Amino acid sequence: MFSRRGLQHVCFMCAHAGRAITTHTLAVRSAIATSTTASQMNTAPPASTIAASGEQSALSPDLPTPPKATKRARKVKSPPMVQDPDIVPEPRQPGRSEAFVELLKASVQEPTLHEVERLRPEEQPDLNSAEYTVAFNEVVDSICKRFSKNQIRKMTEEVAQGALKRIPSTKIAWAQLIVTLKWGWRDPKEIASEQAERMKVHATIYKVAPNELFLLLGRDGTNLLRLSLDLQVRISVEPGPDSLSLRVEGLRQAVNNMENAIHEIRQNMITETIDYPVPDGLHKDLIQRISKMSNAFLENMPNGKLRITARRDHELSSAKRLVIRAAAIDNRESSIPLLMHRNQNHDRLSMLPRKYALYPFLAQRTMLWTMGTGGSFRARKVSEWMGVDDDFTHEGGLATGQVITFSGQDIDLRKSLLDKMAILPEGHERMISAYPGNILFTSRTSGAQRATLSSPLEDPVAFPNLLKWINSTSLQYKSTFVPELPAALLNAIPSESIPLNRLVYRAAQSPEAAESGIHAPGYTKTIAFDLVIPEMTVKASQDRIIPEMEIDRIECRVGEETTVDILMPDRPMDIRFNVFDYVPKKIDEAPNELSEYASTLKEYFANPEVTQPNPPLHVTYDGTTYTLDTSSSVRRSVEEFMPPAGHEWGIPEPTQAITESTIDFEGSQRATNCQIVCADTKTERGWITFLKHCDRLTMKLPRKINHMVDDFDIMDLDSVTPTSH
C-alpha cells in the first residue's frame, strides 16, 4: 500500500503535527513486503560493482564499455492493501504536545491589574521633561506586548467603573487610557497641547467705567504698571463710543489673572455721594487734582452732588477732607482784595511809555494744589528781562508810591488794613506781617490739562489798560497769591531751625467782609495752632531714645485777621500784607478738639507703633465753626539780609526775615515762604521802617557788569625774534 519512503513521509508529517499513527501488524508487514518486491524489480547495480567496473575499464582500456541505460524502468504499482474488517484498531493515545496544550488550556487565567502594576516605573519623571514622554510610551508599549486588546479593554473598564467618556478604537489607545486612569499619568499629547495653548498670546477687551479705570491706574499709573509687570500682560486703553475699554494681551493664564484683578477691584470699591460745600461747586481741573492727590475718583453729579469712589476708607476720607479744604481756601482767596502799586514819578523817569504784559510763570517748586492746571501768568513790565533796571531807591518805594484800586482810586495802605480791624482790646496782641511772592492769574473756565504759553492779554498795554483788563475779566480769571523765597535770601545762611506741626483754621467769610466788596481787605476769624515737634539727634536715634513732646511749648492763637494783596508789575515780586489781632491761649484754654489732638500726638511720639492721628477737619470755639485751612510740617528759621552799599533804603540795620519750609500733610506739596514782621505796629515811623524792609526783599538786586578789556595780554608775534638752534 505504501512504499517505505512514502510511509516514512507520512510518519514524519504526523509526528510534526503531534499525532502518533497506529496501524495493524499485518498491514504493516504487507506494505513492507510489497515495497521490497518493487525495489528488487527496479534495483540498480550496486555501487561497489560500478566502482569495480570503472577501475577495470580504467586499467584495461581495450575492454568494451557497457552501454548506458537510456530509459528508466517504469515502476509497477502494488495492489491496494485491504484492511480486514474483523480487526478493530486500538484507540490512539494523546501525545506529549497535545497533553501540554490541554494542560495550558486548563490552567489559563485572565490577567489582573496587579500584573499591570508590575510594569509601573519606580519614579514618575517631570511632566514637562522629555523623559516623561519616553517613559509613558515605553509603559504603553509593554502593556500592548503582554496583553491582548480584549484583556486591556476589560482591565480599563474595571478601572473606569463605567465612567468612560470616550471609547478607544485601537489597542494603543486602550493601553494609554489604562495608564492615565490607573496611575494618574497624563497623556504627553495633552501636555503638549496645553503648553502650546499657554504659549499662545490671547487678547481680551474689558469694558470699564471711568471710576474703575481710575482705580486700576492708581497714583500716576503705578498700580496698572505693577499689574502689567507682575502678570506679564500688555495693557492698553481704547476709547469707545459710550465707555472706555481695557485691552489685555498675554498668555491665557495671565489674562485670567488680570480678569480676577478687575473683578476684585469692582468688588472692593467704596462709593459715597456728598453735597458740595459751595453752591457753585469745584472746578473740573481742581476735582482732577484732588483725585490724583487722594487716589480717589471724584465726579460731578446732578443737583449739586459729588460722588467719591475709592478702594480704601482712608483714601475716601482724604478726598472728602481735600474737597472741604479746597472749598474753604477758594472762598477765602476770592474774598481777599487785590490792589496795585504804582511808583512815584512813574512816567517821568522813563524816556518811553511803559508797557505791561502777562508772562507765563514757571515756579521753582510745585504750584499750590488749589490752582488750575491750564497755565498761570504774572503781570510784568515789558523789556524788564533785557536788563533795564530801575533804581527804586529814587522812586520812593512802597512808602511814597501809590496804592490804587483797579478802578484807579488811590487809597492808603495802612488805613485800608487797620480800618476794618476793631480797636485792639486789652490782652490782645497785634502782628503785622508781609509775605513776598507772586500774584498769578489763572483761568476759571479752562479745563486744559497742560500749561499753555498763550497769554490771555494778547499785546502789551499801558498801565491804565492793564487795570481795565484785570477789572473786566475778574469772572473769567482769578488771582492767586503764591508765596516764594526772595532772591536776596536764596544764598543766605539760615540759623538753627525749629520743627513745627502747624494747623490753621479759618471761619467762613464774615458778612462785613462780603459787603465791603473788592476794595476792602478780607476779614476772617482765625485759629493758629503750632506744636513744637521734638527733633531726634543721630545719637538718640541710634540709642533708640525717643524725646518727649512738650505740651507747654504749644502756641495757640485765637483772633481775627485781615489780608490784602499788592500787585507790583515793576518789581520782580509781589507782596501780601496781613494783620492778625489775637489772644494767646494755653493748651487747656484751646478748643477741645485741638487739645485732644495734641494729647494723641504726644502718645504717637512716645510710642511709634500708635497710628499717627489726623487733625480735626472742623473746630468749634466760642460758638463759631472753623474749617481746616492749613495742615503742614514746618521748619522755621530766622535769617538776616544786608543789601549792597547804596541800597540800604535809609536804615542801617540788616533786615530780619522768618523763612519757613513747609510740607502739606494731605497734599504732599512742598513750599517755601518768607515772613517780614513789623517791629513797631503803633507808630507811623515803625510802619515806614517796615515798608523799607519790604522794599529790600522785593527789589531787583544790582548786577555786576563785566567791562570789556581793550588791551589783551597777548604776545606780539612780530616782536619775537627767532632763536638759532
Side-chain angles (χ1 to χ4, degrees):
M1 183 177 176
F2 294 99
S3 62
R4 183 185 299 272
R5 186 178 299 276
L7 185 60
Q8 292 176 355
H9 180 70
V10 171
C11 293
F12 174 77
M13 295 298 293
C14 294
H16 181 70
R19 298 178 181 272
I21 298 179
T22 305
T23 58
H24 198 272
T25 307
L26 296 178
V28 172
R29 291 178 178 177
S30 172
I32 294 173
T34 305
S35 60
T36 303
T37 305
S39 61
Q40 290 179 356
M41 294 177 62
N42 300 315
T43 300
S48 60
T49 306
I50 297 174
S53 61
E55 293 177 358
Q56 184 179 1
S57 60
L59 296 175
S60 304
D62 296 335
L63 294 178
T65 302
K68 297 181 180 179
T70 58
K71 188 174 182 182
R72 189 174 183 180
R74 179 179 296 179
K75 294 182 180 181
V76 179
K77 296 182 179 180
S78 59
M81 184 180 62
V82 180
Q83 186 177 1
D84 189 356
D86 296 333
I87 300 175
V88 179
E90 296 179 1
R92 183 177 64 83
Q93 298 296 328
R96 288 183 300 176
S97 300
E98 290 181 330
F100 180 72
V101 171
E102 294 297 331
L103 180 62
L104 289 178
K105 291 181 178 180
S107 61
V108 166
Q109 296 180 358
E110 291 293 332
T112 61
L113 295 174
H114 181 69
E115 298 179 14
V116 178
E117 191 67 25
R118 294 177 181 176
L119 302 177
R120 183 174 184 174
E122 296 181 358
E123 295 182 358
Q124 178 182 346
D126 187 17
L127 293 178
N128 298 323
S129 63
E131 290 78 6
Y132 176 81
T133 304
V134 175
F136 186 90
N137 294 333
E138 289 179 353
V139 171
V140 171
D141 186 60
S142 300
I143 294 175
C144 291
K145 288 180 178 179
R146 284 168 174 77
F147 306 102
S148 65
K149 179 180 178 180
N150 292 333
Q151 292 172 344
I152 298 174
R153 180 180 57 80
K154 292 180 180 179
M155 288 187 290
T156 305
E157 292 176 351
E158 180 182 353
V159 174
Q161 297 180 357
L164 287 177
K165 297 181 181 180
R166 57 184 179 87
I167 304 299
S169 59
T170 61
K171 183 178 182 180
I172 296 178
W174 281 105
Q176 292 175 348
L177 192 59
I178 196 174
V179 171
T180 56
L181 294 178
K182 175 64 177 175
W183 299 341
W185 287 28
R186 299 189 61 190
D187 193 345
K189 295 181 180 179
E190 295 180 359
I191 297 176
S193 177
E194 291 181 359
Q195 290 179 350
E197 183 68 17
R198 287 197 300 267
M199 298 305 295
K200 183 180 179 181
V201 177
H202 298 268
T204 307
I205 297 178
Y206 302 96
K207 288 187 176 181
V208 292
N211 55 350
E212 298 173 350
L213 180 59
F214 179 86
L215 298 181
L216 277 171
L217 288 172
R219 191 185 301 273
D220 297 329
T222 54
N223 187 34
L224 194 64
L225 178 60
R226 181 183 56 82
L227 285 175
S228 177
L229 295 177
D230 294 346
L231 304 181
Q232 296 295 318
V233 293
R234 181 180 179 183
I235 306 174
S236 58
V237 179
E238 297 181 353
D242 53 351
S243 63
L244 297 174
S245 300
L246 206 65
R247 180 181 178 87
V248 182
E249 297 178 337
L251 304 180
R252 171 60 65 184
Q253 184 62 34
V255 173
N256 294 338
N257 294 337
M258 186 63 192
E259 184 176 359
N260 296 335
I262 296 175
H263 180 72
E264 180 182 359
I265 289 178
R266 289 173 175 172
Q267 293 294 325
N268 298 331
M269 285 193 313
I270 306 173
T271 303
E272 183 176 348
T273 303
I274 63 174
D275 294 328
Y276 263 121
V278 290
D280 298 336
L282 298 179
H283 195 258
K284 182 178 179 181
D285 57 351
L286 182 57
I287 290 178
Q288 294 176 353
R289 178 165 290 190
I290 295 176
S291 297
K292 183 178 180 180
M293 293 167 55
S294 61
N295 202 22
F297 185 78
L298 281 70
E299 53 184 335
N300 290 317
M301 302 297 292
N303 302 325
K305 301 289 185 179
L306 181 68
R307 186 170 67 180
I308 305 175
T309 306
R311 297 182 62 181
R312 302 172 183 86
D313 293 333
H314 71 273
E315 294 173 348
L316 182 66
S317 176
S318 177
K320 292 171 60 177
R321 293 170 62 91
L322 289 174
V323 168
I324 296 175
R325 284 185 57 190
I329 293 173
D330 184 71
N331 185 27
R332 175 177 178 267
E333 290 292 330
S334 61
S335 66
I336 295 177
L338 178 61
L339 305 177
M340 198 165 183
H341 178 265
R342 188 176 186 180
N343 293 330
Q344 187 182 16
N345 302 324
H346 180 271
D347 294 329
R348 289 180 292 178
L349 291 178
S350 59
M351 298 179 60
L352 299 175
R354 298 185 180 185
K355 295 294 184 70
Y356 298 88
L358 294 179
Y359 288 90
F361 182 82
L362 180 62
Q364 297 180 357
R365 295 180 178 266
T366 56
M367 304 294 289
L368 297 179
W369 62 273
T370 54
M371 295 181 60
T373 59
S376 55
F377 302 88
R378 181 179 182 268
R380 296 182 61 182
K381 185 182 65 174
V382 178
S383 76
E384 181 185 359
W385 57 273
M386 297 178 62
V388 181
D389 297 331
D390 290 331
D391 189 1
F392 299 114
T393 58
H394 298 295
E395 295 187 4
L398 290 170
T400 58
Q402 291 179 314
V403 176
I404 59 178
T405 64
F406 289 100
S407 61
Q409 180 183 359
D410 293 345
I411 62 173
D412 183 83
L413 179 59
R414 185 185 181 193
K415 185 178 180 181
S416 64
L417 281 171
L418 301 179
D419 280 353
K420 290 299 178 179
M421 303 295 291
I423 300 176
L424 194 64
E426 184 178 357
H428 285 62
E429 298 181 10
R430 171 167 292 176
M431 182 173 62
I432 301 178
S433 305
Y435 300 89
N438 298 281
I439 297 176
L440 306 179
F441 295 92
T442 56
S443 175
R444 295 181 183 269
T445 58
S446 175
Q449 295 298 310
R450 297 180 180 179
T452 177
L453 299 178
S454 300
S455 174
L457 190 60
E458 297 182 358
D459 300 323
V461 296
F463 189 83
N465 295 333
L466 178 62
L467 297 179
K468 292 180 181 179
W469 182 89
I470 296 176
N471 190 28
S472 61
T473 59
S474 58
L475 298 178
Q476 292 81 17
Y477 292 89
K478 67 175 182 178
S479 61
T480 304
F481 179 80
V482 179
E484 188 176 356
L485 197 65
L489 300 179
L490 290 178
N491 298 325
I493 300 176
S495 61
E496 184 179 359
S497 60
I498 301 175
L500 301 174
N501 186 352
R502 175 170 296 170
L503 303 177
V504 178
Y505 292 85
R506 289 188 171 93
Q509 184 181 7
S510 61
E512 295 83 358
E515 294 175 359
S516 61
I518 193 173
H519 307 306
Y523 172 87
T524 55
K525 292 183 177 181
T526 305
I527 298 177
F529 195 73
D530 289 345
L531 296 86
V532 180
I533 303 300
E535 189 172 12
M536 295 180 62
T537 61
V538 177
K539 186 178 183 304
S541 61
Q542 292 177 353
D543 298 339
R544 297 183 179 180
I545 300 175
I546 302 175
E548 185 178 359
M549 187 179 71
E550 300 178 7
I551 298 295
D552 296 338
R553 299 187 63 184
I554 295 178
E555 299 178 0
C556 181
R557 295 170 292 179
V558 180
E560 303 170 349
E561 67 174 349
T562 180
T563 307
V564 62
D565 293 337
I566 306 297
L567 182 66
M568 298 188 295
D570 293 307
R571 300 193 183 192
M573 301 189 75
D574 304 313
I575 198 167
R576 165 175 284 188
F577 289 97
N578 177 270
V579 179
F580 186 25
D581 293 345
Y582 63 92
V583 178
K585 298 289 185 180
K586 296 181 180 181
I587 187 61
D588 53 351
E589 299 175 348
N592 297 331
E593 296 88 347
L594 296 181
S595 300
E596 295 176 359
Y597 172 73
S599 301
T600 309
L601 192 63
K602 182 178 180 180
E603 295 178 2
Y604 167 74
F605 280 104
N607 185 10
E609 296 181 358
V610 178
T611 305
Q612 183 176 1
N614 290 324
L617 185 59
H618 299 285
V619 169
T620 302
Y621 181 77
D622 197 16
T624 303
T625 301
Y626 297 81
T627 304
L628 180 64
D629 182 272
T630 302
S631 174
S632 59
S633 174
V634 181
R635 298 193 71 89
R636 183 173 61 185
S637 60
V638 179
E639 301 179 9
E640 292 186 352
F641 169 71
M642 190 66 190
H647 298 271
E648 297 87 354
W649 292 86
I651 47 178
E653 66 273 9
T655 299
Q656 288 189 350
I658 300 174
T659 59
E660 295 180 343
S661 176
T662 63
I663 302 177
D664 190 274
F665 282 135
E666 297 179 351
S668 300
Q669 288 191 334
R670 298 177 179 268
T672 55
N673 59 67
C674 172
Q675 181 184 9
I676 308 169
V677 180
C678 180
D680 184 7
T681 61
K682 298 180 180 180
T683 63
E684 183 70 20
R685 182 180 179 85
W687 173 256
I688 298 298
T689 303
F690 169 65
L691 293 181
K692 289 182 178 181
H693 284 295
C694 296
D695 288 327
R696 281 183 174 183
L697 295 181
T698 57
M699 72 177 182
K700 181 181 295 184
L701 295 177
R703 296 178 298 177
K704 295 181 179 180
I705 301 176
N706 296 325
H707 299 283
M708 298 293 294
V709 180
D710 297 333
D711 297 329
F712 296 94
D713 189 11
I714 301 176
M715 183 179 297
D716 189 2
L717 298 180
D718 296 336
S719 62
V720 177
T721 59
T723 59
S724 60
H725 298 281

